[in-house]
Amino acid sequence: MIRKLQMVALDCADPARLAQFYADLLGGRVVADPDAPEWVEVHGFEGIPLACQRVDGYRPPEWPGQERPQQLHLDFDVDDLDAEEQRALALGATVLERTDQVRPDANWRVYADPAGHPFCLCLH
């Protein structure tokens, strides 16, 4: 039996840049091996560590289109959607949909990280 989920790895063109984005967003730290720049990890925050992995010819997912599907996305709990949105945007995220403003029953907003991966900030 598998004991636990060890890490979530995200494909990208620039692992150091994407890892720094998530370290800043989550209050974590970048863990990099100078001999293996194609794999950079983010640790030191509550939750499962993230890894950013260089992929030659990386093409970001499209959302909500499915020509290049997202395949996965990350959800993050927040206490203040507006404040955390401003912080995420300042770090390089882009708004894909303010779902809470489109659907009255929704408590989340959808963004793309600098490599184009969708993620949600969820009010809890």
Side-chain angles (χ1 to χ4, degrees), residues 54-106:
R54 179 178 292 120
V55 171
D56 292 333
Y58 173 75
R59 293 176 28 179
E62 293 180 348
W63 187 93
Q66 293 299 303
E67 184 177 323
R68 290 189 311 266
Q70 63 181 335
Q71 298 179 8
L72 72 91
H73 72 272
L74 304 171
D75 286 349
F76 300 108
D77 287 346
V78 300
D79 293 323
D80 184 330
L81 273 173
D82 293 327
E84 291 304 318
E85 174 179 279
Q86 290 308 309
R87 207 167 67 76
L89 296 176
L91 293 169
T94 56
V95 175
L96 296 177
E97 180 180 84
R98 290 186 176 99
T99 311
D100 64 318
Q101 296 172 6
V102 177
R103 293 179 30 202
D105 61 328

Side-chain angles (χ1 to χ4, degrees), residues 73-81 107-109 111 119-124:
H73 72 272
L74 304 171
D75 286 349
F76 300 108
D77 287 346
V78 300
D79 293 323
D80 184 330
L81 273 173
N107 66 338
W108 68 90
R109 296 177 186 167
Y111 305 86
F119 71 92
C120 296
L121 298 179
C122 307
L123 184 61
H124 286 276

Side-chain angles (χ1 to χ4, degrees), residues 2 4-8 39 41 43 47-50:
I2 294 172
K4 69 175 184 173
L5 175 61
Q6 177 184 334
M7 185 167 301
V8 173
W39 181 271
E41 297 179 4
H43 293 257
I48 303 299
L50 295 174

